[in-house]
Amino acid sequence: MRKFLSTAMAAAVAVFGFTACESNESGKAIFEVRMTDAPGDYENVFIDVQSIEYNSDSNWVTMESAQPSVFDVLELTAGIDTLLGSEEVDPGYISQIRLILGNNNTLVVDGETHDLKVPSGSQSGLKLQINEELVAGITYSILLDFDVEKSIVEKGNGSYSLKPVIRTITEATSGAISGTVLPDSVSAMAFAIQGEDTIASAATNEEGAFMLRGIAEGSYKVVVDAAEGFEVLDTAMVDVEIGVVAPAGDFTAVEEVVEESAE
């Protein structure tokens, strides 16, 4: 196990650049925005989403991961959804998100394409209530349930307008495990192991704390591999629940005893 963990730690350092003085951003939460739809009596409904913003501490912030895209919401039925964006953020309260729609919204009826006019979506955006407190280490999914039948208004002149009716569903989709390695001067990697599989790993920060994020519900063994010259004998069994940060406790790093060979 010791050899395996040392190899895993070296790989993590190589890939992510963890060092003794760097944080593993354990204080972050993750939230993703997805869209789904109920069936509608049309052939296609193409929605042009240019960007997504979220309101945190009364400030509007643009989701950098949400790229402009046009997609057919009628393909997002029967439990199918699409990922619009995923963001790593500071924990805290998110009150709203805002969809900024472009001008390429169209509707196909009987093989004919019609423009969907958006009264104000392109200018000020479509605001949706979220009202969720995000906890560090937890992943949240915000599902936008687009109601096509209620969102499309047919006018008397044969044209159509888009007045989106969207229900928001927010839920935590993972748990997390937190712990501390003492003394904090010793850099280390923590691992969540289930059976023979390593599910997650994280480096300690300057305070010796670690956060194993995105953990599915279940029981995990937490082990720690310290920097060269130190070892951690402590392990912990932790039960993880969705939406909860489970404490693994403290782990103590001690200097390895090197036995001198007899001459």
Side-chain angles (χ1 to χ4, degrees):
M1 174 65 75
R2 176 70 181 178
K3 182 179 180 181
F4 165 76
L5 292 179
S6 296
T7 302
M9 183 177 182
V13 171
V15 174
F16 298 107
F18 290 126
T19 66
C21 62
E22 290 180 329
S23 168
N24 67 329
E25 299 297 331
S26 61
K28 300 290 186 178
I30 296 175
F31 81 94
E32 57 185 26
V33 178
R34 295 181 174 272
M35 181 170 283
T36 189
D37 178 39
D41 192 21
Y42 306 99
E43 295 172 37
N44 305 96
V45 177
F46 294 99
I47 303 300
D48 180 7
V49 179
Q50 287 296 301
S51 64
I52 301 175
E53 301 173 353
Y54 61 94
N55 193 304
S56 177
D57 296 326
S58 299
N59 296 313
W60 285 102
V61 182
T62 299
M63 289 189 72
E64 298 296 336
S65 61
Q67 300 299 313
S69 60
V70 178
F71 54 90
D72 184 0
V73 295
L74 292 184
E75 293 183 353
L76 307 177
T77 59
I80 298 174
D81 60 49
T82 188
L83 178 65
L84 301 182
S86 180
E87 207 85 335
E88 187 176 77
V89 300
D90 291 328
Y93 185 73
I94 291 184
S95 59
Q96 297 173 308
I97 63 172
R98 181 163 60 189
L99 296 182
I100 307 300
L101 302 183
N103 298 318
N104 295 320
N105 304 287
T106 58
L107 169 72
V108 179
V109 181
D110 297 328
E112 185 177 354
T113 300
H114 303 266
D115 288 335
L116 282 172
K117 301 298 182 181
V118 182
S120 61
S122 297
Q123 291 75 33
S124 61
L126 176 66
K127 293 181 181 178
L128 303 170
Q129 296 297 322
I130 301 300
N131 299 322
E132 187 74 25
E133 186 76 26
L134 304 188
V135 176
I138 304 299
T139 300
Y140 297 83
S141 177
I142 300 173
L143 184 64
L144 309 182
D145 189 0
F146 194 99
D147 191 326
V148 165
E149 291 295 338
K150 294 181 180 179
S151 299
I152 296 175
V153 178
E154 184 176 1
K155 299 181 178 180
N157 58 4
S159 64
Y160 297 84
S161 63
L162 178 65
K163 297 181 179 180
V165 176
I166 300 175
R167 182 170 66 105
T168 61
I169 305 169
T170 304
E171 61 180 3
T173 60
S174 78
I177 300 172
S178 65
T180 304
V181 177
L182 302 173
D184 57 19
S185 58
V186 178
S187 59
M189 288 286 293
F191 299 84
I193 299 174
Q194 193 173 59
E196 297 182 355
D197 297 324
T198 299
I199 305 301
S201 63
T204 53
N205 62 14
E206 293 179 351
E207 288 74 42
F210 63 84
M211 179 82 74
L212 295 159
R213 300 182 298 174
I215 308 294
E217 192 170 61
S219 296
Y220 298 85
K221 182 178 182 180
V222 179
V223 299
V224 173
D225 192 34
E228 185 175 356
F230 293 86
E231 62 180 344
V232 177
L233 302 179
D234 309 318
T235 63
M237 289 300 301
V238 178
D239 292 327
V240 174
E241 300 178 11
I242 298 300
V244 177
V245 179
D250 295 336
F251 298 79
T252 302
V254 297
E255 291 190 32
E256 289 183 318
V257 177
V258 179
E259 296 182 0
E260 296 182 0
S261 58
E263 294 184 359

